[in-house]
Amino acid sequence: IASRRRENWLALLEALMASGLSSVVVPVFRGLVEDEVPLGFPVILPDGRRDAVRSSLRNVGVYCPVHWDLPHVPVESAPA
């Protein structure tokens, strides 16, 4: 399970970076440390795009929860 989660997470990061959308969909983390097993792929959606992106994902069957609503945290403050 751990290796599959890592593979999935890395594939999502690679696809996001290759898409050219990494300035619109900002990953909270830019990589994994050794032995880290991600539970999800958290992103920051600037400029009020969150609900539109969630709706689009929902329309194609992708569950996209909001874990933290942090309107006071600017994208520039996101961890790298």
Side-chain angles (χ1 to χ4, degrees):
I1 292 174
S3 64
R4 184 70 177 155
R5 283 187 179 179
R6 287 181 60 83
E7 289 170 14
N8 287 341
W9 193 96
L10 292 169
L12 286 169
L13 181 64
E14 182 178 328
L16 176 60
M17 295 307 182
S19 74
L21 294 173
S22 61
S23 64
V24 177
V25 180
V26 181
V28 173
F29 305 104
R30 300 288 178 154
L32 298 173
V33 296
E34 187 177 341
D35 296 329
E36 187 173 24
V37 181
L39 181 58
F41 190 81
V43 298
I44 296 172
L45 300 166
D47 302 326
R49 295 183 176 136
R50 183 193 72 194
D51 292 339
V53 170
R54 288 185 74 221
S55 178
S56 294
L57 289 170
R58 185 174 37 252
N59 288 340
V60 295
V62 176
Y63 176 62
C64 183
V66 174
H67 293 287
W68 302 282
D69 189 9
L70 304 173
H72 64 284
V73 178
V75 172
E76 299 81 37
S77 300

